[in-house]
Amino acid sequence: MPLSLTAEHADLAAVASEFAERFAGILDTRGQLDAYSTGGRPSYWSELVDNGLHALHISEEHGGQGGTVADTAIVVEEFGRRLVPGPYVSTVLASAAVAGAEECKASTRGLALFAEGATGALVMPSSALLAVATDQGWRLRGSAKVSSLLSAEYLVVGFNAESATRFALIDVQTPGLKRIAATCSDLTRDAGTLVLDGLVIDGEVILEGLYATYVETLQAALLAAEAAGVMRWAVEASTDYAKLREQFGKPIGSFQAIKHKCANLLIASELATAAAWSAAVALEQDATQQALAAGSAIEAAIVPSVEAVTEAVTIFGGIGFTWEHDAHLYWRRAITLAAQVSPLDDRLASLGRIAVELDRQIEIELPDEDPAFRQHIGKLLDVAATLVNEHDGGRWYSRGSQRTFLAENGLAAPHWPAPYGMGASPAEQVVISQEYFRHGIVQPTSVIGEWAMPTILAYGTEAIKEQFALPTLRGELAWCQLFSEPGAGSDLAGLSTRATKIDGGWELKGQKVWTSGAHAADWGICLARTDTEVPKHKGLSYFLVDMRSASVVVRPLKQPTGDSEFNEVFLDSVFVPDEYLLGEAGQGWRITATTLQNERTQISSGVSAGTEDAMRTLIRDRGFVGSEREAFTSLGQIVAISSAIGALNLRETLRQVHGIQPGAGSSLAKVAQARLSREAASRVLRLAGPATLFAEAPADAVTGQLGVPQVLLGGGTVEIQLNVIAERILGLPRG
């Protein structure tokens, strides 16, 4: 999915794509490769300026379009996907930095110049650029490697002076400034070494109020947007090739190894897009949030873009390893993006230091919000805040409890239809979630009931709805899911539990396994085979089973961690009355799809997958071995990807809020989360060191590692999910 989340941004992406196709097509780019190394304005520049695509983020009073950096990021991503040559990205980086400064002589002049079409480049501060105070200002000496330096007419140069970082807008013709040409790794752009030899910077060119963290985040956001575009190309081009290229009489995309390569590319691409979006959003936030977002954009988008194109080449095979194929041009682009954010370890360690105490946060802003609705929810939660939850053995019993009040006022599951919920739209769910947070109340969950009850509300009789809905919401009934069997895990349609019609109902015989919470459940949703004469997925029916029945035997399964969250369940001639057959016999497969799809809109201002918590604890308690730098770098890497996964999930919420069809984000995030959990557990184990000799290892390092399979296997193995992503989302043929 592209960076755009709104109809307006989708339209802008379409305009950028059409522009690239008309004025900067890949064939034209290939025909002019020799020209790009010398710099200058590319042939399409005047048309670009006429269309205003260079000045989307510049205010109208300074001659721009009055938009935001997020608008420009949409174009950057699309231009990256199309491999548009020349200094577009370096120019918008420079002009966006100027736009981020306070109103001053340098910013006013710079914005006018860039709005008129001047080209530019950004030079980040570094120890290689030295500044010495003089009577005239600061005298700069040193050098820096700069992308699109030869094309730039103006430079935004960062330097450290008097314990502060400053930025200046400098004309490349200024005395004391020299540009030494070099062959850029990206053959569609130029590059060179900037040499400053006694260049004097005075107050006339200083960009007041422009801070290093902001500029670093800006750079990360736009370079990540371009990386996301490069990775989208890698996904699209390699997947299209896998559908057409045949080996052994079949399209190579039908082979599982290729399927998994393509699916993994898609996951990496979507994480990159989410991280780029998060960094663009962070430009409106404080410095710590900017630093967290910038680190994620670098680690989850810019750096992986190199590996993404490498992987695409392995799908193309030999043809992708030729000069004539476009792959190496995208590969080179990705390499130069990563080069501009080095050194990486320093950034990750810095990210880890911040992330020890802070999470990435994004507050959702709602279009056309109804203040009266928020006020109504606030008043209900004001009352709820005065109530307490009372329970006995895990069962809520006081009808005056907070849980009961929330259930009976539609706030326990507001996305359910009335009278049990509010039929809340995605936008209204956001409001409700925000109000829960503001009141310090945890929104209740019925766990498996979150999936079971929407299905019952869709297919059950009024009597069944009344029997189960409110008791479930009040926490009086717990549910489990009787789907998986010893011979039917990922292949759910292959289950063998039989349901035979008898007088007044059905007799169920069979075994279920890996059933979470069955030992504490009151009722279970159960799939059983009612017809063996039809294709296996058509012969299934959906039942509600009383788990307290004497014919239901639950045997807890002890896990390597010592816990017993899972169970095997034996259905020994269990009688299920007719009214507990949901829908009609044979509809089980279709009804199950409803169950699996009925998750509420997951709303949270916290943008994190939560996999870093154990590592945080380890560092806070100083239970790690090795250097602080190593510990912080490890945390930084995990937090960077965790934040990207959280941003991916949040983007799915925003799609719903904006009325856009949800994408594949939740499916992709599930795989990414499982893998990150595995990686995080391994890192915690390594950091804990010799302490893992004992069962009481810090940060639950041992039990965390032993619990990893639960994430990798639960809800379908990662490998099965990759097949599903490849076939259902990318459209690759079945094997």
Side-chain angles (χ1 to χ4, degrees):
M1 294 294 165
L3 200 60
S4 54
L5 285 175
T6 64
E8 291 80 5
H9 274 173
D11 290 343
L12 177 58
V15 168
S17 180
E18 182 181 352
F19 178 90
E21 186 174 358
R22 288 184 61 195
F23 298 107
I26 190 68
L27 291 179
D28 291 337
T29 297
R30 277 186 163 275
Q32 301 178 57
L33 287 180
D34 291 340
Y36 297 123
S37 63
T38 60
R41 295 187 180 187
S43 58
Y44 64 80
W45 200 256
S46 60
E47 284 84 3
L48 179 86
V49 173
D50 288 344
N51 281 274
L53 294 176
H54 69 305
L56 295 169
H57 53 278
I58 297 176
S59 64
E60 292 182 2
E61 65 178 303
H62 292 110
Q65 304 298 309
T68 66
V69 173
D71 300 326
T72 297
I74 298 294
V75 180
V76 169
E77 182 202 28
E78 195 59 40
F79 278 12
R81 175 173 168 259
R82 294 282 189 168
L83 202 74
V84 171
Y88 176 76
V89 174
S90 65
T91 297
V92 295
L93 257 176
S95 61
V98 174
E102 296 174 357
E103 188 76 24
C104 61
K105 185 173 291 187
S107 64
T108 300
R109 174 171 172 266
L111 291 176
L113 289 167
F114 284 123
E116 290 170 2
T119 57
L122 174 65
V123 183
M124 296 298 294
S126 73
S127 58
L129 290 179
L130 303 176
V132 178
T134 69
D135 292 340
Q136 293 80 33
W138 290 275
R139 188 178 301 277
L140 268 57
R141 296 186 186 276
S143 64
K145 295 176 176 62
V146 182
S147 176
S148 299
L149 177 65
L150 308 182
S151 295
E153 295 158 2
Y154 292 89
L155 302 176
V156 173
V157 179
F159 61 96
N160 297 314
E162 296 181 351
S163 302
T165 301
R166 293 177 170 82
F167 291 87
L169 178 68
I170 304 173
D171 189 322
V172 296
Q173 302 302 322
T174 303
L177 184 154
K178 183 188 299 183
R179 294 179 291 171
I180 301 175
T183 301
C184 187
S185 299
D186 181 351
L187 301 181
T188 68
R189 287 178 176 160
D190 67 80
T193 300
L194 172 68
V195 178
L196 302 178
D197 187 11
L199 174 70
V200 176
I201 302 295
D202 61 23
E204 295 289 311
V205 296
I206 292 294
L207 293 163
E208 302 290 349
L210 185 59
Y211 299 102
T213 302
Y214 178 89
V215 178
E216 289 169 358
T217 307
L218 174 66
Q219 181 195 46
L222 292 184
L223 295 188
E226 185 166 39
V230 168
M231 293 169 78
R232 274 184 65 204
W233 172 85
V235 173
E236 294 166 356
S238 60
T239 300
D240 288 345
Y241 182 79
K243 293 175 183 177
L244 298 174
R245 172 64 168 163
E246 292 192 355
Q247 290 283 277
F248 309 106
K250 297 179 180 179
I252 64 171
S254 65
F255 304 142
Q256 181 165 280
I258 301 298
K259 277 188 172 72
H260 288 190
K261 282 178 175 285
C262 292
N264 284 326
L265 268 178
L266 179 62
I267 293 168
S269 173
E270 289 295 304
L271 288 177
T273 302
W277 169 79
S278 175
V281 170
L283 293 171
E284 303 296 327
Q285 298 180 284
D286 63 33
T288 53
Q289 288 299 313
Q290 289 172 3
L292 289 168
S296 180
I298 292 168
E299 184 69 8
I302 299 171
V303 172
S305 65
V306 178
E307 181 59 29
V309 183
T310 307
E311 191 70 355
V313 171
T314 69
I315 297 171
F316 294 131
I319 193 173
F321 196 58
T322 62
W323 184 269
E324 288 75 17
H325 200 282
D326 294 335
H328 76 97
L329 297 177
Y330 284 91
W331 213 350
R332 291 169 175 274
R333 176 70 60 88
I335 289 169
T336 60
L337 291 175
Q340 293 176 66
V341 293
S342 294
L344 298 174
D345 285 349
D346 290 346
R347 289 177 179 261
L348 287 170
S350 177
L351 173 61
R353 286 186 173 88
I354 297 171
V356 168
E357 301 296 339
L358 291 173
D359 273 328
R360 180 80 180 95
Q361 302 280 330
I362 297 177
E363 187 70 31
I364 296 177
E365 294 184 7
L366 299 171
D368 305 320
E369 180 186 332
D370 178 9
F373 180 79
R374 184 180 291 275
Q375 186 178 30
H376 170 64
I377 299 301
K379 287 181 178 179
L380 288 174
L381 291 176
D382 284 340
V383 176
T386 67
L387 303 173
V388 296
N389 281 323
E390 300 178 52
H391 57 91
D392 180 17
R395 295 292 186 271
W396 308 100
Y397 68 86
S398 170
R399 293 190 59 81
S401 73
Q402 183 184 90
R403 174 76 180 253
T404 297
F405 176 84
L406 294 172
E408 295 180 350
N409 283 276
L411 282 170
H415 57 298
W416 292 7
Y420 309 110
M422 294 183 168
S425 68
E428 289 171 335
Q429 289 182 60
V430 172
V431 170
I432 293 167
S433 179
Q434 290 173 342
E435 288 300 303
Y436 264 110
F437 181 79
R438 189 170 69 85
H439 284 77
I441 301 174
V442 177
Q443 189 167 351
T445 176
S446 51
V447 196
I448 301 300
E450 294 273 356
W451 302 333
M453 281 310 307
T455 310
I456 293 172
L457 294 178
Y459 292 94
T461 63
E462 290 303 317
I464 291 294
K465 295 176 188 178
E466 186 173 343
Q467 178 182 352
F468 291 116
L470 275 177
T472 297
L473 291 174
R474 289 194 294 254
E476 296 163 359
L477 293 180
W479 290 82
C480 66
Q481 182 173 283
L482 301 166
F483 285 3
S484 295
E485 297 183 3
S490 298
D491 180 20
L492 187 58
L495 60 81
S496 58
T497 294
R498 294 291 304 274
T500 304
K501 188 71 180 76
I502 59 176
D503 287 343
W506 300 79
E507 183 182 59
L508 272 61
K509 293 183 178 181
Q511 179 186 356
K512 300 293 181 176
V513 75
W514 312 124
T515 309
S516 300
H519 57 291
D522 301 291
W523 286 83
I525 50 177
C526 179
L527 268 186
R529 188 166 302 284
T530 50
D531 191 341
T532 60
E533 303 300 321
V534 296
K536 58 183 184 179
H537 68 282
K538 292 186 177 181
L540 304 178
S541 297
Y542 195 108
F543 296 92
L544 307 180
V545 175
D546 184 353
M547 296 298 291
R548 305 302 178 188
S549 167
S551 300
V552 176
V553 178
V554 178
R555 184 178 299 163
L557 294 169
K558 194 170 185 178
Q559 300 157 231
T561 59
D563 296 328
S564 298
E565 299 167 293
F566 299 136
N567 305 268
E568 51 185 347
V569 178
F570 299 91
L571 305 173
D572 186 14
S573 298
V574 177
F575 176 69
V576 176
D578 281 327
E579 58 264 34
Y580 295 137
L581 167 67
L582 211 57
E584 299 177 3
Q587 286 187 322
W589 187 256
R590 180 160 63 91
I591 296 174
T592 299
T594 302
T595 297
L596 298 177
Q597 293 168 4
N598 263 304
E599 297 183 50
R600 70 179 180 182
T601 303
Q602 296 296 318
I603 312 293
S604 173
S605 60
V607 183
S608 168
T611 46
E612 63 271 27
D613 292 344
M615 195 176 297
R616 268 201 188 111
T617 299
L618 196 66
I619 293 173
R620 284 172 181 162
D621 295 346
R622 302 199 64 79
F624 60 89
V625 297
S627 68
E628 280 193 351
R629 179 183 173 82
E630 179 186 359
F632 285 129
T633 299
S634 288
L635 178 59
Q637 287 178 309
I638 297 300
V639 164
I641 305 302
S642 178
S643 296
I645 295 171
L648 180 57
N649 284 323
L650 186 56
R651 280 169 57 82
E652 287 300 293
T653 296
L654 287 170
R655 285 182 166 279
Q656 297 177 60
V657 168
H658 288 290
I660 300 174
Q661 186 68 24
S666 58
S667 299
L668 306 178
K670 186 174 183 179
V671 176
Q673 170 73 26
R675 286 177 169 158
L676 186 64
S677 296
R678 181 177 190 168
E679 175 66 17
S682 295
R683 286 175 182 260
V684 168
L685 204 64
R686 188 161 62 243
L687 285 173
T692 57
L693 179 65
F694 303 128
E696 295 79 17
D700 294 325
V702 176
T703 54
Q705 178 70 22
L706 294 174
V708 165
Q710 183 174 343
V711 180
L712 297 177
L713 301 175
T717 68
V718 166
E719 290 72 23
I720 292 296
Q721 291 176 51
L722 290 174
N723 284 346
V724 171
I725 290 167
E727 293 171 4
R728 297 185 185 176
I729 299 173
L730 292 176
L732 289 171
R734 291 181 177 272

